[in-house]
Amino acid sequence: MLAALENGVKGGRWYSLMDKVHAPTTLRLAWERVRANHGAAGVDRMRIEHFEAQADRYLAELHDDLAAGRYRPDAVRRVYIPKGDGKRRPLGIPVIKDRIVQAALKLVMEPIFEKDFLPVNYGFRPQRGCKDALRQVDEFLREGYTTVVDADLASYYDSIPHQPLLERVAERISDGRVLNLIGRFLEQAVMDGLECWTPTAGTPQGAVLSPLLANLYLHPLDRMITERGWKMVRYADDFVILCRDRDEAQAALEAVRAWTQANGLTLHPEKTHIGDCREPGQGFEFLGYRFEAGRRWVRKKSRKALREAVRAKTRRSRSGSMAQIVEELNLTLRGWYEYFKHAYRTEFPDVDKFVRRRLRALLLRRHHKQGWGLSPLTHRRWPNAYFAKLGLFTLTEAHAVACRSR
């Protein structure tokens, strides 16, 4: 498909794509990707294993319905996940058949739009990820772009206007059947308990197609910022613009504010700001890190999320041997360290102390004693060496080893 575009597809637009969407090979690959994600059941309560038991029949039905134009999406099940600030983030869980159709659409559409997407865009793209975006931020900071516009789009996924979004899709895709199918997904009913409504804007977080559509809607913003020579790094709806001075940053912010207003979006007034990240108190947060005073720190929400995960695995009433508990903790600690290992070194000792304190409190409970694992007597009874012998992963040691190897 990319080769065909480069060799001169008429007007750079695709006029016949639906046959590629409902092709049995496309649907089969889409199903494999949906199955690999092990997602929750939708409103029909069908689970992955139930679909798998009759996958051939269901995929054949999907092919026939899509080819005949009979396919209609089911409602999306609304669930909520906690956010670090105590609020809840809404997610939409489509039924498995809808996930497969969206995955098939994504397989067909993604190469077309990937050809246009710019290097500043790192979110939910092939061969790109968070660490690539963070490396680019570091590079710009080293080059002296230290006055930063930290922009936050308020409820971005829920506020994308449907008609302008479809118009952006139509700039490359002229197959009316594909456009109609995308429109039906945008207008899927949402079920939240006993309530049911049809959204007038937005694309549900949790839907397979949403990241591609969300990237597509912000592509003109990427293009505007790039054409004006400003340094931007964007991951989905989270982006920063790195500038040489405050005047440049102020001009960039005003341009972004004008663009968002013209495109039906809103900058969060409290979370959007300009600061010189070399100065204490003027840093910015991006992808779990806080950049401030010339260093990378772990943002407070990320620290809090780790502590909550450790607490859940070290409840005083939990069962299992200490070796088993340590093994479970190590999975969490290693994963967290792998992502945050580039934070400033003072971040890690506090985490290690907190983990050992939780384990000592658990041991006290098992020995029918009271306490929080803080007393000198408790430390002498279960010293750090005791946990090291159990194989507890320590972030401080891992960071020291990494520094020596570098």
Side-chain angles (χ1 to χ4, degrees):
M1 292 174 68
L2 282 174
L5 277 173
E6 292 164 0
N7 292 330
V9 168
K10 187 177 180 180
R13 300 173 75 171
W14 287 83
Y15 290 83
S16 180
L17 285 177
M18 196 62 191
D19 60 321
K20 298 173 179 62
V21 173
H22 64 63
T25 51
T26 306
L27 292 175
R28 174 64 62 176
L29 179 56
W31 154 238
E32 295 295 341
R33 295 192 175 186
V34 169
R35 179 171 61 178
N37 285 332
H38 302 292
V43 293
D44 62 355
R45 299 298 174 181
M46 178 179 282
R47 303 178 65 83
I48 291 291
E49 54 268 26
H50 298 150
F51 190 97
E52 187 174 17
Q54 300 187 61
D56 291 340
R57 179 170 71 86
Y58 290 138
L59 292 176
E61 290 174 357
L62 275 179
H63 166 76
D64 293 342
D65 289 344
L66 287 166
R70 294 189 301 265
Y71 186 83
R72 297 293 184 275
D74 285 327
V76 171
R77 182 165 70 92
R78 173 63 60 91
V79 297
Y80 297 89
I81 58 173
K83 297 171 63 176
D85 55 6
K87 299 180 181 178
R88 298 188 303 166
R89 183 190 305 279
L91 289 182
I93 302 180
V95 299
I96 294 173
K97 286 185 178 182
D98 289 349
R99 278 180 258 172
I100 293 170
V101 175
Q102 289 197 32
L105 279 167
K106 183 172 181 285
L107 284 166
V108 172
M109 292 168 55
E110 189 172 59
I112 297 170
F113 294 111
E114 268 295 318
K115 184 176 186 295
D116 294 333
F117 287 162
L118 299 177
V120 301
N121 175 4
Y122 289 86
F124 305 106
R125 296 184 61 192
Q127 312 304 319
R128 293 182 148 230
C130 292
K131 291 187 177 181
D132 302 304
L134 290 165
R135 276 192 288 268
Q136 184 62 76
V137 168
D138 278 333
E139 183 176 330
F140 285 147
L141 291 175
R142 285 195 299 270
E143 292 173 359
Y145 297 92
T146 54
T147 303
V148 180
V149 179
D150 184 5
D152 184 276
L153 291 170
S155 303
Y156 173 61
Y157 281 86
D158 292 332
S159 57
I160 302 174
H162 287 169
Q163 190 56 40
L165 174 58
L166 287 171
E167 289 170 2
R168 300 222 173 126
V169 177
E171 290 174 6
R172 284 286 179 265
I173 295 174
S174 293
D175 188 326
R177 295 171 300 171
V178 171
L179 294 174
N180 288 337
L181 183 57
I182 295 170
R184 291 191 193 108
F185 278 122
L186 292 176
E187 295 173 355
Q188 277 179 282
V190 177
M191 291 193 67
D192 186 352
L194 297 178
E195 295 183 43
C196 185
W197 72 93
T198 300
T200 57
T203 177
Q205 292 191 63
V208 178
L209 200 56
S210 290
L212 177 61
L213 296 177
N215 266 335
L216 177 60
Y217 197 71
L218 289 179
H219 174 64
L221 174 64
D222 299 343
R223 192 168 56 230
M224 180 195 75
I225 296 295
T226 302
E227 288 172 352
R228 297 191 184 189
W230 294 320
K231 309 295 184 184
M232 181 169 83
V233 180
R234 180 170 71 81
Y235 192 97
D237 60 331
D238 192 2
F239 64 92
V240 290
I241 304 172
L242 300 97
C243 304
R244 292 283 190 185
D245 54 50
R246 194 167 190 88
D247 288 342
E248 182 184 353
Q250 191 64 49
L253 177 56
E254 290 306 316
V256 170
R257 182 173 284 118
W259 186 91
T260 54
Q261 289 175 352
N263 287 271
L265 304 175
T266 305
L267 287 176
H268 198 296
E270 297 175 2
K271 297 182 180 179
T272 300
H273 69 278
I274 295 173
D276 184 341
C277 67
R278 295 171 298 183
E279 300 297 326
Q282 294 192 41
F284 64 95
E285 294 182 355
F286 188 60
L287 300 180
Y289 280 92
R290 181 168 181 83
F291 294 79
E292 186 174 318
R295 303 191 189 281
R296 264 200 205 188
W297 309 91
V298 179
R299 71 171 185 167
K300 291 181 180 179
K301 287 183 181 179
S302 302
R303 288 196 215 110
K304 182 179 178 181
L306 175 64
R307 289 188 172 228
E308 291 300 324
V310 170
R311 286 191 181 98
K313 295 179 187 296
T314 55
R315 294 187 303 273
R316 297 187 190 189
S317 60
R318 72 154 293 172
S319 59
S321 67
M322 288 303 296
Q324 179 184 345
I325 295 169
V326 165
E327 184 178 354
E328 292 178 15
L329 279 172
N330 284 349
L331 290 174
T332 299
L333 296 172
R334 289 181 191 277
W336 194 87
Y337 173 75
E338 184 58 32
Y339 188 80
F340 289 107
K341 62 185 177 184
H342 298 293
Y344 191 54
R345 64 177 182 272
T346 57
E347 295 280 9
F348 305 119
D350 285 344
V351 175
D352 292 331
K353 290 176 184 176
F354 174 74
V355 172
R356 287 191 291 260
R357 177 169 66 80
R358 292 289 302 180
L359 289 172
R360 288 186 178 109
L362 177 58
L363 285 164
L364 282 171
R365 176 64 180 267
R366 291 188 171 187
H367 286 78
H368 308 291
K369 303 287 186 181
Q370 297 291 327
W372 296 98
L374 294 170
S375 71
L377 179 62
T378 306
H379 276 252
R380 286 195 297 271
R381 186 171 185 180
W382 295 293
N384 293 355
Y386 170 81
F387 300 109
K389 191 174 181 180
L390 286 172
L392 180 65
F393 179 81
T394 57
L395 282 70
T396 307
E397 183 179 347
H399 186 260
V401 169
C403 288
R404 287 197 296 270
S405 65
R406 284 196 296 267

